Amino acid sequence: MASAIIERVEIDDFCEPPQVAGPGFINFRLKPSFLARCLEAVPGGDDPLAARVGIEPTRDAQTIVIDLSSPNLAKEMHVGHLRSTVIGDCIARVLEFEGHTVHRENHVGDWGTQFGMLVAYLRSVQPEVADKPDDIVIADLESFYVQAKARFDADDDFGRESRDTVVALQRGDPSTRRIWKAFCEESLRHCHAIYDRLGVRLIDRGESFYADLMEEVIRRLEAVKKADGFVRDSEGALCVFPEGFTTRDGLPLPMIVRKSDGGFNYATSDLATILHRVDTLKADRIIYVVGLAQKQHFAMLFSAVRRLGWVDQKVSFEHLGFGNVLAADGRPFKTREGGTAKLGKLLDEAVKRARAVTQDQPADGRPSIRTLSPDQADAVAEAVGLAAVKYFDLAHALQSDYKFDLNTMLAMEGNTAPYMLYAYARIRSIGRKAGVDFAALPSDQAIILEHASEISLAKKLLQLTETLDVVSRELRPNVLTDYLYELARAFSRFYDKKIGVRVVDATPENVRTSRLRLCDLTARTLKLGLHLLGINTVEQM
RNA sequence: GCGCCGGUAGCUCAGCGGAUAGAGCAUCGGAUUUCUAAUCCGAUGGUCGCGGGUUCGACUCCCGCCCGGCGUACCA
């Protein structure tokens, strides 16, 4: 059968004669001339598609909401928020690149009983905030919370005051609200210092934003409530009972939407966000980038929304769950003191280590030829350190836990950000060395693929489109990191003095130009790919 | 108890129906008078947790076990 297929296919213009290779396999080998034609067709220079390496936006754009990051404003952001933020941002970038309208929704926790405690504590330790709420400064949110909690546990009067403050807050008492708002804004400033550093932009929408919509959720549920129905009261709480979920005792498991004390919880606000996202933002697709631990919660939420018929069938809901970040010993990530590891500190540490890496000298004692000024070295360290953390996170399959290991993520060898950034910087340096502006390379000159390393680099370059298809369809960032790593390796071989080819001093001129164009295409592909991961490139390092 | 996610080379991880299971690190051995060696080439190393089944073909799908983690009504 295979030979019958081989005889009949007409693919001479782009493929070598196919060969039967064992039972069930036919090998097709694309002709270098065809690969070259494909690469020649990629727009360059000042073409608007040059930075997109020729990839056109989709024709059926959707409106997509991505729920990401979502820290609790009561505390400092910690490692736990890293994955949601970095993965969510990457997915958003990929979908935006495809041409979709993306809303990055930061569903921050700014509501609930702990805020009564925090406001009461703030009032007692910084009484002046009542008059000047905008002057509030809390250097360390984490210890502020710990102190408030300690007082709450030890002091009954303060406990009562805290509970009264929650009530006042929810009733809308102006003075309480003012202090609460000041606290939240201060906490958000801490968050955005990190977002800015990570290059992540998103829209903050706290639980409090949904206060009216939560009431609307309750009204709608009350309207369809029946004694033994899908929506009913149970043990004093208003509940939805999606099918197929049970408690330890095998009884139907409710999603509690209004607690028996009348308060709301995350199910209430998650339902409210859906109303906002569907009715106001007009979302076609909603993606929740939240840890795998909440898988059941989202399964119940989506099931409930479908059953309630609150959204059009064509709106899709996806929980993009991910595993935990563990310490190097495989245990939950804690500081030496046992507290949660603050994200800001972790990034500082990564950048500090990256700075040391930029000081590395060649192993054999030759002098380094790096010419970075201290300021440039600082900038490179910042870029490399943050890139290392992000890249390492994104390079892991989403569902698996991974060990946060600065040594591995900052290694210059292997599938790491430093290797990738170096490959890019190295290519840019070739352009400088050759005295050419990549953007001005003549795009009408042929690409010539003769050497094995040129052909395999060309094949890799041409896999960008299908790689991005997989990434956006399956929402898997590590498919992109793997591709970029393979591309960088293919380039290292192409450029290797032993197994590769000469570039800057290649002759004749048309071969040199062809190879420089391959360099340019590789640089643009790496830059685009890293950009979609949320990683900035550097021109030298 | 039930459900979900892991269990792949000494270590860190990819692969998740197709051809001899791949990288990096580590170990050992090569290249090199640089187009920035943060490189390249090679070797060693794996009954893909265990046992059944489906299939022409299973790390990949199904069933049952064993480990580890998480979830399982008023935290998120």
Side-chain angles (χ1 to χ4, degrees):
Chain A
M1 185 185 279
S3 48
I5 291 171
I6 287 175
E7 279 167 26
R8 290 188 202 179
V9 290
E10 291 182 21
I11 50 179
D12 293 351
D13 49 339
F14 63 90
C15 194
E16 307 284 3
Q19 292 169 333
V20 179
F25 295 91
I26 302 173
N27 287 338
F28 295 88
R29 190 173 298 276
L30 296 172
K31 286 183 175 169
S33 60
F34 173 70
L35 300 172
R37 281 208 307 278
C38 292
L39 289 177
E40 283 163 5
V42 177
D46 52 8
D47 190 298
L49 280 178
R52 298 178 61 98
V53 199
I55 298 178
E56 309 249 9
T58 177
R59 257 172 291 183
D60 45 355
Q62 288 188 308
T63 298
I64 303 175
V65 166
I66 300 184
D67 185 307
L68 77 166
S69 198
S70 308
N72 185 335
L73 297 188
K75 300 183 183 181
E76 195 85 30
M77 286 178 79
H78 55 85
V79 254
H81 299 110
L82 178 68
R83 297 210 80 184
S84 178
T85 306
V86 169
I87 295 164
D89 181 55
C90 170
I91 296 302
R93 285 166 183 262
V94 169
L95 294 174
E96 267 169 357
F97 178 76
E98 277 211 314
H100 301 292
T101 300
V102 176
H103 297 275
R104 301 138 189 255
E105 294 281 310
N106 192 19
H107 188 198
V108 299
D110 64 358
W111 210 235
T113 51
Q114 49 199 337
F115 287 90
M117 174 184 89
L118 291 166
V119 168
Y121 187 70
L122 186 56
R123 254 196 191 120
S124 91
V125 297
Q126 294 186 38
E128 65 279 10
V129 296
D131 301 321
K132 291 186 164 182
D134 294 339
D135 291 355
I136 181 177
V137 173
I138 301 173
D140 187 339
L141 277 169
E142 202 66 29
S143 55
F144 184 85
Y145 179 88
V146 169
Q147 287 159 19
K149 184 74 167 63
R151 174 110 172 251
F152 183 85
D153 291 338
D155 181 343
D156 288 346
D157 288 340
F158 180 71
R160 261 189 300 281
E161 193 187 330
S162 296
R163 280 183 284 272
D164 290 346
T165 307
V166 178
V167 175
L169 185 59
Q170 296 187 336
R171 240 192 0 240
D173 171 62
S175 133
T176 308
R177 285 295 276 258
R178 219 167 51 231
I179 297 172
W180 163 81
K181 184 160 171 281
F183 177 87
C184 291
E185 283 170 356
E186 168 66 357
S187 183
L188 278 170
R189 281 191 284 275
H190 287 237
C191 294
H192 278 271
I194 287 176
Y195 295 141
D196 287 349
R197 215 171 168 192
L198 291 174
V200 173
R201 276 193 236 163
L202 28 61
I203 299 162
D204 302 317
R205 240 188 273 277
E207 317 256 45
S208 57
F209 172 87
Y210 298 99
D212 292 344
L213 280 170
M214 288 195 267
E215 299 291 351
E216 170 68 13
V217 164
I218 300 300
R219 269 196 299 279
R220 290 193 188 194
L221 291 177
E222 287 285 357
V224 297
K225 191 169 81 178
K226 293 196 184 74
D228 292 318
F230 175 63
V231 181
R232 65 175 188 270
D233 290 321
S234 173
E235 297 176 29
L238 177 60
C239 304
V240 179
F241 287 83
E243 262 178 72
F245 299 92
T246 56
T247 67
R248 278 176 230 277
D249 306 320
L251 301 169
L253 178 68
M255 187 169 73
I256 294 171
V257 182
R258 185 182 57 210
K259 300 189 286 181
S260 54
D261 67 2
F264 298 152
N265 62 9
Y266 67 130
T268 329
S269 73
D270 274 336
L271 284 169
T273 63
I274 290 174
L275 294 182
H276 173 251
R277 291 166 185 181
V278 172
D279 296 341
T280 305
L281 298 179
K282 308 293 181 198
D284 299 307
R285 182 180 182 188
I286 306 179
I287 300 167
Y288 294 83
V289 187
V290 181
L292 230 28
Q294 292 192 47
K295 187 165 173 162
Q296 181 176 260
H297 165 67
F298 285 108
M300 293 177 81
L301 180 72
F302 301 159
S303 169
V305 172
R306 293 277 182 230
R307 173 75 188 270
L308 289 163
W310 284 1
V311 299
D312 194 292
Q313 280 300 321
K314 69 175 200 290
V315 176
S316 74
F317 294 89
E318 288 153 88
H319 171 215
L320 194 62
F322 52 81
N324 300 312
V325 179
L326 306 174
D329 60 5
R331 309 187 60 179
F333 207 110
K334 300 281 182 194
T335 59
R336 286 147 301 279
E337 299 78 38
T340 43
K342 292 184 198 169
L343 186 47
K345 288 265 186 282
L346 228 52
L347 298 179
D348 288 343
E349 181 67 20
V351 169
K352 196 173 130 200
R353 298 276 286 272
R355 185 69 162 80
V357 166
T358 65
Q359 307 291 300
D360 279 359
Q361 300 294 317
D364 58 9
R366 283 177 295 103
S368 171
I369 67 160
R370 271 198 299 261
T371 56
L372 296 175
S373 70
D375 282 354
Q376 286 173 318
D378 285 344
V380 167
E382 177 80 6
V384 172
L386 296 174
V389 172
K390 284 184 164 191
Y391 190 90
F392 192 69
D393 193 307
L394 295 168
H396 286 84
L398 291 184
Q399 67 277 12
S400 48
D401 295 344
Y402 76 82
K403 294 175 186 166
F404 191 92
D405 178 356
L406 285 169
N407 286 332
T408 306
M409 65 181 81
L410 281 164
M412 308 86 174
E413 306 85 26
N415 188 10
T416 65
Y419 178 90
M420 302 302 304
L421 291 174
Y422 175 73
Y424 177 81
R426 183 72 183 268
I427 300 168
R428 298 295 297 171
S429 137
I430 292 167
R432 291 190 293 271
K433 193 94 176 182
V436 301
D437 175 5
F438 279 156
L441 284 172
S443 56
D444 56 344
Q445 277 197 33
I447 285 180
I448 304 156
L449 302 175
E450 286 170 344
H451 193 275
S453 71
E454 292 175 305
I455 293 168
S456 55
L457 175 60
K459 284 182 184 166
K460 218 67 223 170
L461 284 167
L462 289 169
Q463 285 167 12
L464 173 66
T465 306
E466 64 193 69
T467 301
L468 290 179
D469 281 347
V470 173
V471 175
S472 64
R473 195 171 56 244
E474 302 180 12
L475 306 181
R476 291 172 53 196
N478 72 309
V479 170
L480 181 52
T481 60
D482 286 353
Y483 165 74
L484 294 174
Y485 179 55
E486 285 168 16
L487 176 63
R489 299 199 82 200
F491 182 82
S492 288
R493 293 192 186 104
F494 160 80
Y495 194 65
D496 186 72
K497 64 172 60 66
K498 187 77 176 183
I499 63 166
V501 296
R502 303 300 299 176
V503 176
V504 173
D505 51 8
T507 53
E509 189 60 27
N510 62 339
V511 169
R512 180 176 187 263
T513 303
S514 165
R515 289 177 184 164
L516 286 168
R517 286 189 67 191
L518 288 173
C519 289
D520 174 43
L521 284 165
T522 307
R524 275 151 63 197
T525 303
L526 287 175
K527 183 167 190 161
L528 172 63
L530 290 168
H531 173 74
L532 293 177
L533 295 171
I535 290 171
N536 292 324
T537 49
V538 292
E539 291 298 309
Q540 46 180 321
M541 59 188 284

